[in-house]
Amino acid sequence: MPAAGPSPATLNDRFAIPGLLFEAGAGGLTRAVIDTPVAGGEVYLHGAHVAAWRPAGHKPVLWMSTRSQFELGKPIRGGVPICFPWFGAHPVEPSAPAHGLARTHFWNVEAVSRLDDGGVGVELRAAIGRYRLSYGIRFSHELEMTLTIERNLSATPVRFEAALHTYFTVGDVRKIRIEGLEKTGFIDKVDNLQRKGPTGQAITITGETDRVYCGTRQACRLVDPVLGRAISIRKAGSDTTVVWNPWIEKSARMADFGDEEWTGMVCIETANAADHAVDLQPGQVSCMKAVIGVERL
Ligand code: TA6
């Protein structure tokens, strides 16, 4: 299945720089492959989907299902799907795709750059319905992703939800803890959307977990004793954090998710969703950023 948009050769003529090359990736979808002394990575133009990031001296940080599809019109299972302009099921249209349109949309390359620290930056753009979006990704010692909803040119406010739905590789999800949300209440999507108060403790995963933490700008820290590392997730312009692991039964129900893969991943998502959907006033711009870092324990 040919990918949409310009060929890798055309893109390389225009944008290739040392450490960044375009190629046909999985399923023939076009991707930029980043390979520098400070970090490696991949981003597909399909969905502007960051599929890999590997800072120097560390194992790959982002998780990708071995069963993921790489097809036009289908979401990729892993990495960092962009959820926009809604999160989860569409509020009124049950047949609309979960998590919106951005993650299966084709994005164009706007610019690439060599960063002062030896990393590489990529800027992508897309027009989705009435929205104009740009997405800046910096592959370096940290992974920085900035989603910008360009100026609302209409005379009326527009409401949307957005998320960087990041999948992290972990040694064993049953042995991790997630710090930073101890003081934040959440909507529990595995318990009839019950609103629950702060637990006062770090999050541990002991079953299917699907929590929308509302009203938090806190950084999170994913502590992984099996892989001997801690992953930091700092953010700006985001008031919601989502934590998800499908556990056993839900994994078995997902065709693009291996039945046993749930032990090796957890999602910590940087979002504006639920109570914190964005009401973008005329003339306003909205910007949401996630910065991922890794340290050895
Ligand atoms: O962010 C958690 C969640 O909303 C879960 O409910 C689960 O559906 C997950 O996203 C994956 O959604 P997807 O549409 O990619 O299968």
Side-chain angles (χ1 to χ4, degrees):
M1 160 80 79
S7 69
T10 303
L11 289 166
N12 284 325
D13 287 346
R14 188 162 172 213
F15 294 110
I17 56 173
L20 180 144
L21 207 56
F22 290 91
E23 66 177 26
L29 299 179
T30 301
R31 66 184 175 194
V33 177
I34 289 88
D35 183 5
T36 76
V38 295
E42 291 174 8
V43 53
Y44 282 83
L45 302 190
H46 174 67
H49 197 113
V50 176
W53 171 59
R54 190 182 53 261
H58 291 281
K59 294 190 177 81
V61 176
L62 303 182
W63 179 87
M64 181 63 69
S65 172
T66 57
R67 306 276 292 275
S68 178
Q69 302 172 101
F70 289 86
E71 283 178 50
L72 295 181
K74 302 273 178 64
I76 294 170
R77 175 70 65 193
V80 187
I82 298 175
C83 306
F84 178 87
W86 63 85
F87 181 81
H90 188 279
V92 293
E93 181 44 68
S95 64
H99 289 323
L101 308 171
R103 66 177 180 170
T104 53
H105 200 84
F106 180 79
W107 291 62
N108 287 293
V109 181
E110 179 72 15
V112 300
S113 57
R114 192 74 195 219
L115 306 178
D116 293 344
D117 64 7
V120 160
V122 181
E123 185 184 346
L124 305 174
R125 283 185 182 276
I128 299 176
R130 64 190 306 183
Y131 300 99
R132 302 291 174 273
L133 294 85
S134 63
Y135 189 42
I137 312 151
R138 295 164 67 92
F139 292 91
S140 187
H141 301 288
E142 293 184 321
L143 173 64
E144 185 179 295
M145 300 172 284
T146 305
L147 181 67
T148 302
I149 310 334
E150 302 292 356
R151 194 169 308 286
N152 172 9
L153 298 177
S154 72
T156 55
V158 288
R159 170 168 290 198
F160 61 81
E161 294 175 303
L164 299 174
H165 192 298
T166 310
Y167 287 75
F168 293 100
T169 290
V170 297
D172 181 341
V173 75
R174 294 162 291 196
K175 297 192 168 77
I176 66 164
R177 71 176 187 276
I178 300 168
E179 300 168 347
L181 297 168
E182 294 85 349
K183 298 179 181 164
T184 306
F186 59 95
I187 298 168
D188 192 342
K189 290 176 67 175
V190 298
D191 187 8
N192 303 311
L193 300 179
Q194 290 287 312
R195 287 176 178 270
K196 297 183 177 175
T199 64
Q201 296 174 336
I203 299 165
T204 54
I205 307 293
T206 57
E208 183 182 351
T209 304
D210 196 348
R211 299 180 178 182
V212 181
Y213 286 84
C214 300
T216 174
R217 298 196 164 186
Q218 271 296 111
C220 287
R221 187 167 182 262
L222 167 55
V223 180
D224 183 343
V226 173
L227 292 185
R229 69 184 184 187
I231 295 172
S232 59
I233 302 102
R234 304 193 314 277
K235 63 178 192 171
S238 156
D239 287 313
T240 314
T241 297
V242 181
V243 175
W244 179 57
N245 179 275
W247 208 254
I248 301 166
E249 286 77 21
K250 183 152 189 176
S251 299
R253 294 198 300 269
M254 294 188 284
D256 61 349
F257 197 111
D259 291 1
E260 310 305 322
E261 288 186 320
W262 60 274
T263 60
M265 55 71 66
V266 69
C267 285
I268 302 174
E269 306 160 33
T270 300
N272 283 307
D275 306 356
H276 297 278
V278 176
D279 285 314
L280 195 61
Q281 300 303 317
Q284 271 192 339
V285 176
S286 173
C287 196
M288 179 171 77
K289 176 187 290 191
V291 182
I292 316 295
V294 192
E295 59 174 353
R296 284 206 181 72
L297 286 181

